[in-house]
Amino acid sequence: IYSTWEDTEDTTLMWKIVTSNAVEDLERWLESDPGAAWLRSADGRGPMWWAFEGKKQEIVSILMKMGVPHTDKDKNGLSPVDLLKE
């Protein structure tokens, strides 16, 4: 799932959950489907990028506890950490 970069209903839903900081919704989803933490959209970004970009620290912590890296690169060569510098 992590190496598949595509825009899907799931990536759109994940983006909405992360950008709106819907922590409880995220926790419920990840409890039933832990693999969702690894979703990546067509630009190579996923929940960790969106959480860093929006400074959603609680979501970053949840994803890190699940083992989602914060140093991988999107299609433009940017990592989630790089988004804090923009």
Side-chain angles (χ1 to χ4, degrees):
I1 193 170
Y2 200 59
S3 61
T4 302
W5 296 5
E6 61 183 346
D7 293 329
T8 64
E9 288 181 19
D10 282 344
T11 56
T12 300
L13 178 58
M14 180 62 77
W15 179 84
K16 289 177 181 177
I17 286 172
V18 172
T19 58
S20 66
N21 207 34
V23 174
E24 290 179 11
D25 290 341
L26 178 65
E27 289 174 329
R28 273 193 299 275
W29 187 1
L30 297 179
E31 190 175 305
S32 67
D33 181 10
W38 303 87
L39 290 171
R40 308 260 312 252
S41 61
D43 63 4
R45 294 187 179 184
M48 189 65 84
W49 280 262
W50 304 321
F52 265 88
E53 186 174 40
K55 298 177 176 61
K56 312 294 188 202
Q57 188 57 48
E58 190 172 358
I59 292 178
V60 168
S61 296
I62 291 167
L63 295 170
M64 285 183 151
K65 284 178 188 169
M66 295 191 71
V68 179
H70 61 280
T71 54
D72 286 349
K73 307 285 185 188
D74 66 13
K75 74 174 187 175
N76 297 315
L78 297 173
S79 71
V81 176
D82 292 331
L83 300 181
L84 294 177
K85 302 171 190 171
E86 290 185 346

